């Protein structure tokens, strides 16, 4: 099994905390006091004042149990839903100033998505599936295919470009989905439970691939309920009841000179008392 080395830590602006691998890079994602409320009688508070920054070159896990608000957070980060209040910036752009067409353009240009279910077109080749990731980016057909081939090479599937997804394993299909997310060279890739439909061995290979892509410069935010998986990434943001309970980037400020937390120490429920507030959506 390939061993992935972690990048040296640098500082996060505004916190003084060290963030692995950011290198003082500009923010790819900024959330400031973000809330999301559904309904009125009674209202459901899915997100409650969420603030954090992900810099270019980071590999981050957002981790929490079902009902913690992490899926709502994914939708807000991915501009699939607008926040009720607060500020969301993607690659420096405040999404509040964009209409629906502007949001679609920002999403096509700056955000790559990887989902648990793959969402590949079964009757198209792998190359065509990846090239389709550029459909809404205004890229000419020939360049789409060329960039798709390059993205497939990055995930180790250049030799499978003419295959159809039905002839591939689950791990290979997830690699195709990752290639499709990367093909547009987005500011940030959002991976929602990318190992959820895979066996443990294949899941491990996907996490190793994400480490390799991050080492090559990709900015990746992974959303998961799996604390063990999250602790294999350089930074973990724990979410519960629509709030951030802990952020390992901030923890490093208080743990200077100490080793990172063990998995038992890293359990969000064990470290941070949680009130009896109404839980938001997952």
């Amino acid at each position: 099994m390939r061993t992935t080395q972690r990048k040296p830590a640098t500082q996060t602006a505004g916190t003084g905390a060290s963030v692995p691998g950011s290198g003082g890079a500009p923010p790819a994602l900024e959330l400031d006091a973000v809330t999301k409320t559904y309904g009125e009688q009674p209202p459901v508070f899915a997100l409650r004042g969420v603030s954090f920054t992900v810099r270019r070159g980071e590999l981050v896990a957002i981790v929490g149990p079902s009902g913690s608000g992490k899926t709502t957070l994914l939708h807000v980060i991915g501009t699939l839903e607008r926040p009720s209040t607060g500020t969301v910036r993607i690659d420096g752009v405040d999404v509040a100033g964009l209409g629906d067409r502007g949001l679609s353009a920002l999403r096509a240009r700056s955000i790559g998505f990887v989902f648990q279910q793959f969402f590949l077109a079964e009757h198209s080749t792998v190359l065509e599936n990846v090239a389709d990731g550029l459909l809404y980016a205004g890229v000419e057909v020939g360049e789409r295919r060329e960039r798709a081939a390059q993205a497939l090479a990055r995930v180790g599937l250049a030799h499978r470009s003419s295959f159809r997804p039905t002839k591939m394993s689950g791990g290979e299909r997830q690699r195709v989905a990752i290639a499709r997310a990367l093909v547009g060279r987005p500011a940030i890739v959002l991976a929602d439970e990318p190992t959820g439909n895979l066996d443990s061995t294949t899941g491990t290979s996907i996490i190793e691939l994400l480490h390799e892509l991050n080492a090559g410069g990709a900015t990746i935010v992974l959303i998961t309920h799996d604390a063990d998986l999250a602790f294999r990434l350089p930074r973990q943001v724990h979410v519960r009841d629509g709030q951030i309970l802990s952020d390992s980037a901030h923890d490093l400020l208080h743990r200077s000179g100490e080793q990172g937390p063990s998995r038992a120490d890293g359990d969000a429920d064990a470290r941070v008392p949680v009130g009896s507030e109404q839980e938001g959506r997952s």
Side-chain angles (χ1 to χ4, degrees), residues 81-237:
E81 295 187 57
R82 295 180 183 269
S84 299
T85 62
T87 302
V88 178
R89 293 187 185 89
I90 306 293
D91 205 20
V93 177
D94 186 344
V95 303
L98 301 177
D100 289 344
R101 183 170 296 180
L103 274 182
S104 295
L106 176 68
R107 199 179 303 126
R109 179 179 71 249
S110 298
I111 306 173
F113 292 93
V114 179
F115 296 103
Q116 178 177 344
Q117 297 88 357
F118 315 137
F119 293 122
L120 301 176
E122 294 185 356
H123 299 294
S124 298
T125 67
V126 163
L127 184 70
E128 291 166 343
N129 268 280
V130 175
D132 283 350
L134 293 169
L135 272 177
Y136 302 104
V139 179
E140 185 270 331
V141 174
E143 185 180 349
R144 287 207 304 263
R145 294 180 67 86
E146 180 180 348
R147 287 170 60 174
Q150 293 170 354
L152 284 169
R154 288 185 71 183
V155 301
L157 287 178
H159 63 296
R160 296 281 205 173
S161 62
S162 63
F163 280 55
R164 300 190 189 281
T166 53
K167 302 297 184 181
M168 305 180 77
S169 68
E172 287 176 325
R173 280 179 282 170
Q174 192 59 289
R175 285 174 179 262
V176 174
I178 292 170
R180 182 179 58 194
L182 291 169
V183 72
R185 300 164 188 164
I188 191 166
V189 172
L190 303 178
D192 184 19
E193 302 280 6
T195 64
N197 280 340
L198 306 175
D199 62 75
S200 60
T201 300
T202 305
T204 295
S205 72
I206 293 298
I207 297 304
E208 289 177 347
L209 173 62
L210 294 180
H211 274 283
E212 291 169 7
L213 295 170
N214 173 247
T219 306
I220 302 171
V221 175
L222 183 149
I223 292 83
T224 183
H225 69 280
D226 187 338
D228 285 343
L229 186 156
F231 273 101
R232 296 170 61 188
L233 273 60
R235 178 181 174 192
Q236 307 88 36
V237 177

Side-chain angles (χ1 to χ4, degrees), residues 25-106:
L29 167 68
E30 300 169 273
L31 275 71
D32 184 14
V34 168
T35 71
K36 183 65 180 179
T37 305
Y38 296 97
E40 297 179 354
Q41 299 179 349
V44 175
F45 302 102
L47 297 177
R48 305 166 182 262
V50 173
S51 299
F52 68 95
T53 296
V54 175
R55 295 188 174 277
R56 282 186 173 270
E58 281 200 78
L59 175 57
V60 182
I62 296 175
V63 58
S66 178
S68 62
K70 64 184 185 298
T71 299
T72 302
L73 186 55
L74 167 70
H75 290 170
V76 170
I77 293 171
T79 72
L80 301 173
E81 295 187 57
R82 295 180 183 269
S84 299
T85 62
T87 302
V88 178
R89 293 187 185 89
I90 306 293
D91 205 20
V93 177
D94 186 344
V95 303
L98 301 177
D100 289 344
R101 183 170 296 180
L103 274 182
S104 295
L106 176 68

